[in-house]
Amino acid sequence: MGAFMKRRYQLLLIIVIGIILTIIINSFHIISKTNITALGDGLSAGMTPYNVVGTSFNDYLKEKLDKENNLSNYNYEFSYVHQTIHELNEHIDENNYGKTTKTPIKQIIAKSDIVTIAIGIDELASISLVDKVTDEMIYTYLNEMNGLLSKIRDFYEKDIIVLGLYPANNLTKKDAIEINSNLKKICGKYNAYFLDIIALSLNEKYYLEKESYYMNYLAHKEIAKMIYNIYKN
């Protein structure tokens, strides 16, 4: 009888351990939902020609993951209109706090599964209105981007998706192609994904106003799909 009871207790213990392990595994799946961090300028923020922030590709990506019940957190505190690449680098260097969450930017990034970076279009498009975009300006931008990815990779190993630039104001298609060619190389250096959106930007249906380089919600939806496919594949 004693041996029989011992076997019963052993079997019961195995069952209890199995239940506990199942709960732990299921809890892990819940915890491991996707965290998104969006870094950038007006393109990242979803700026419109009417000086009003609209729905960005980051917002559409967030909505897509939310519908799949696969979203944990979405942070866009460091996406705002006319932010420069140098300013974004300073945020990393100084580990600045988000205005809403009061969390250091490095901590925000470190907890992310996807970091999107769309910066440079505001800066270079604005410069192009008052000055010629020179090789030196392009070099400075690319050098800052190299520094940004290098700093992020010092503490973050997951997905980084960098959006390329496109023709805007007097920033020409030739300028954008040259910049993107070098951006792609920099992304490869730091194991980041590069997303070229020049072809998208050349389609008139993706704009609300011909005078503005800010694209409409249709373009942002397309960009979100591209990023989603990169992340899933």
Side-chain angles (χ1 to χ4, degrees), residues 32-51:
S32 65
K33 289 181 181 180
T34 305
N35 292 293
I36 306 170
T37 294
L39 307 174
D41 56 19
L43 175 61
S44 180
M47 192 62 182
T48 69
Y50 313 118
N51 292 320

Side-chain angles (χ1 to χ4, degrees), residues 2 26 28 41 57 69 72 103 105 108 144 149 158 189 199:
N26 287 336
F28 176 76
D41 56 19
F57 62 87
N69 196 29
S72 177
T103 304
I105 187 172
I108 292 169
E144 290 269 11
L149 293 183
K158 294 184 181 179
K189 181 179 176 182

Side-chain angles (χ1 to χ4, degrees), residues 59-76:
D59 297 321
Y60 285 120
L61 178 63
K62 174 249 182 189
E63 288 178 7
K64 174 70 174 173
L65 292 172
D66 205 15
K67 285 180 181 177
E68 295 178 349
N69 196 29
N70 187 26
L71 181 74
S72 177
N73 186 60
Y74 168 45
N75 188 291
Y76 53 92

Side-chain angles (χ1 to χ4, degrees), residues 5-233:
M5 290 299 294
K6 186 176 180 180
R7 285 196 295 273
R8 287 190 63 183
Y9 284 131
Q10 287 175 338
L11 179 61
L12 181 61
L13 182 61
I14 290 170
I15 293 171
V16 170
I17 291 173
I19 293 171
I20 292 172
L21 288 174
T22 300
I23 292 172
I24 291 172
I25 291 170
N26 287 336
S27 297
F28 176 76
H29 284 309
I30 294 171
I31 292 170
S32 65
K33 289 181 181 180
T34 305
N35 292 293
I36 306 170
T37 294
L39 307 174
D41 56 19
L43 175 61
S44 180
M47 192 62 182
T48 69
Y50 313 118
N51 292 320
V52 176
V53 173
T55 306
S56 73
F57 62 87
N58 290 302
D59 297 321
Y60 285 120
L61 178 63
K62 174 249 182 189
E63 288 178 7
K64 174 70 174 173
L65 292 172
D66 205 15
K67 285 180 181 177
E68 295 178 349
N69 196 29
N70 187 26
L71 181 74
S72 177
N73 186 60
Y74 168 45
N75 188 291
Y76 53 92
E77 292 172 298
F78 293 93
S79 281
Y80 55 86
V81 180
H82 295 300
Q83 177 172 208
T84 67
I85 181 68
H86 184 73
E87 288 170 339
L88 183 52
N89 264 312
E90 285 186 330
H91 285 311
I92 301 288
D93 291 336
E94 298 169 12
N95 202 18
N96 290 333
Y97 286 67
K99 290 182 179 179
T100 304
T101 63
K102 307 301 180 186
T103 304
I105 187 172
K106 288 185 179 180
Q107 185 176 329
I108 292 169
I109 292 172
K111 290 182 177 180
S112 303
D113 299 290
I114 309 173
V115 174
T116 67
I117 302 175
I119 194 161
I121 195 67
D122 276 347
E123 182 176 0
L124 292 178
S126 296
I127 289 173
S128 76
L129 290 176
V130 295
D131 201 356
K132 184 179 184 300
V133 177
T134 64
D135 291 341
E136 184 179 355
M137 291 175 187
I138 292 174
Y139 173 80
T140 299
Y141 167 77
L142 292 170
N143 190 50
E144 290 269 11
M145 182 61 79
N146 183 81
L148 178 68
L149 293 183
S150 176
K151 290 167 192 171
I152 292 175
R153 279 301 185 215
D154 281 342
F155 61 90
Y156 177 75
E157 297 180 351
K158 294 184 181 179
D159 288 346
I160 300 174
I161 301 172
V162 178
L163 273 68
L165 303 191
Y166 56 92
N169 292 341
N170 295 321
L171 179 71
T172 67
K173 182 179 177 182
K174 180 183 176 183
D175 292 332
I177 290 173
E178 179 185 347
I179 292 168
N180 287 350
S181 176
N182 286 283
L183 273 180
K184 189 173 182 179
K185 292 175 185 176
I186 293 170
C187 287
K189 181 179 176 182
Y190 295 105
N191 194 29
Y193 296 97
F194 174 74
L195 184 57
D196 192 330
I197 58 172
I198 286 182
L200 195 75
S201 76
L202 297 177
N203 193 327
E204 290 185 359
K205 76 175 184 178
Y206 291 129
Y207 294 89
L208 291 170
E209 299 286 346
K210 290 183 179 180
E211 293 77 20
S212 174
Y213 58 82
Y214 288 127
M215 291 186 276
N216 62 22
Y217 76 97
L218 291 173
H220 282 279
K221 278 188 173 182
E222 287 300 316
I223 294 169
K225 287 179 187 177
M226 294 177 191
I227 294 173
Y228 178 82
N229 289 334
I230 288 172
Y231 179 60
K232 286 298 181 179
N233 294 327

